[in-house]
Amino acid sequence: MNLHVSLIQSIDALLPQTQCGLCGHRDGCLPYANAISQGEAANKCVPGGQPVADALAELLNRAPLPAEPSVWPIQADGRPQRMKALIREDECIGCTKCINACPVDAIIGSGKLMHTVLTDLCTGCELCIPPCPVDCIDLVEDTQPLMTENAKIEEQNNLRNRYYAHIQREEKRRVDRKGPVVRAEINTELFAQFSNQIKPVQALEVVEKPAQVIVGLDSKTMLELAKLRTQIKKLEKQLSVREDANKRTLLSELHAQLNNLQA
């Protein structure tokens, strides 16, 4: 591995992998890492905030610069408030435009069927919002506790892998697609250089579990599973604040439905 590639990897490892394009590089963190290695300012990562700007300055032995400001308030860790996308499901028309826009495949659904955001994977990049023709996607604050550094690294590695898999799939579609290309041209040579060093991840056709692998679930079942998990998480959060017998019963019923679908 040459020194330039190694430097790009070191820079990319510090970026949050939100793939939001707010740095000015529409195709995500890796192109920005490449640009930084060639001299571009290292303070443009909005979701990374001042901690990432400072870490990059230290890595590159450059003078620290103020991070690009965010519209969201700053958290205790110095980064802007993490946000998550939320689809108002009763308003969703199933157009699939948000699914194609999501860089880490955090939205599932099928044509003319309701879509759901897998909140654990959502980076809050906001890229799903502009394509939505009925404006049924909101951004809400991530109420989960701040992650440890090890957890951040694990999340970043997972998001990076998902994004590379997304890029590979979209490029294959682009080659075969007729009609206009709606996104900027991807630097395929750059992505190929790095994506072949990782194990590509599957989209959502394969769901891995500790004791078994569920393969080939139809889209309607996948959608129902995602909806149940979202309802379960919502109830669990509510019950963590205040106990309610009716909600506890409903939670047990939802768990039973989830187990039946996964059986």
Side-chain angles (χ1 to χ4, degrees):
M1 183 186 303
N2 63 49
L3 291 177
H4 186 225
V5 170
S6 179
L7 177 59
I8 294 173
Q9 282 190 320
S10 297
I11 295 169
D12 187 58
L14 294 175
L15 296 174
Q17 305 304 312
T18 52
Q19 318 301 346
C20 59
L22 291 175
C23 60
H25 293 271
R26 185 178 177 187
D27 291 317
C29 298
L30 180 61
Y32 181 41
N34 183 41
I36 291 173
S37 74
Q38 298 175 9
E40 187 166 323
N43 65 330
K44 297 181 180 180
C45 179
V46 176
Q50 199 61 50
V52 168
D54 290 344
L56 288 170
E58 182 178 356
L59 171 69
L60 300 164
N61 196 25
R62 298 180 187 176
L65 295 172
E68 286 287 333
S70 171
V71 298
W72 309 116
I74 302 301
Q75 302 178 126
D77 64 356
R79 300 188 182 201
Q81 170 67 50
R82 286 167 59 99
M83 307 298 291
K84 299 286 185 179
L86 180 67
I87 295 175
R88 298 194 298 278
E89 296 172 350
D90 57 334
E91 299 176 30
C92 175
I93 61 173
C95 71
T96 74
K97 292 182 178 180
C98 61
I99 293 177
N100 295 331
C102 180
V104 292
D105 299 324
I107 305 176
I108 61 173
S110 295
K112 298 182 181 180
L113 292 173
M114 178 196 71
H115 302 344
T116 297
V117 177
L118 303 179
T119 53
D120 288 347
L121 295 174
C122 177
T123 68
C125 69
E126 306 182 36
L127 294 175
C128 60
I129 295 177
C132 179
V134 292
D135 194 24
C136 70
I137 304 177
D138 298 318
L139 283 177
V140 297
E141 289 189 4
D142 182 359
T143 57
Q144 295 299 312
L146 294 178
M147 292 189 293
T148 64
E149 285 304 312
N150 286 339
K152 284 179 185 176
I153 292 171
E154 183 178 352
E155 179 188 60
Q156 288 171 193
N157 289 338
N158 179 48
L159 292 173
R160 184 183 297 107
N161 288 4
R162 297 189 68 84
Y163 185 49
Y164 286 0
H166 176 85
I167 287 290
Q168 291 165 357
R169 188 174 65 254
E170 285 300 304
E171 274 303 285
K172 185 177 184 303
R173 288 177 181 171
R174 186 180 71 85
V175 170
D176 301 328
R177 184 181 294 142
K178 295 181 180 179
V181 176
V182 296
R183 63 174 296 153
E185 287 288 333
I186 295 169
N187 186 341
T188 53
E189 184 178 347
L190 175 66
F191 275 100
Q193 189 173 12
F194 288 85
S195 61
N196 62 15
Q197 299 174 25
I198 65 169
K199 181 181 179 182
V201 296
Q202 296 288 336
L204 290 170
E205 288 79 20
V206 177
V207 179
E208 294 188 4
K209 298 182 71 180
Q212 61 179 333
V213 178
I214 302 174
V215 182
L217 292 179
D218 61 82
S219 58
K220 186 175 181 180
T221 303
M222 289 294 296
L223 189 61
E224 187 63 27
L225 283 170
K227 185 177 180 180
L228 283 171
R229 291 191 185 104
T230 300
Q231 292 175 318
I232 286 170
K233 284 188 177 181
K234 188 181 297 185
L235 278 173
E236 287 175 341
K237 286 182 180 179
Q238 292 172 353
L239 288 168
S240 68
V241 176
R242 179 178 298 173
E243 186 62 37
D244 183 287
N246 291 332
K247 289 181 179 179
R248 182 65 65 181
T249 300
L250 177 58
L251 181 62
S252 298
E253 293 173 355
L254 291 176
H255 273 297
Q257 292 177 38
L258 185 67
N259 291 335
N260 288 336
L261 282 174
Q262 291 177 335

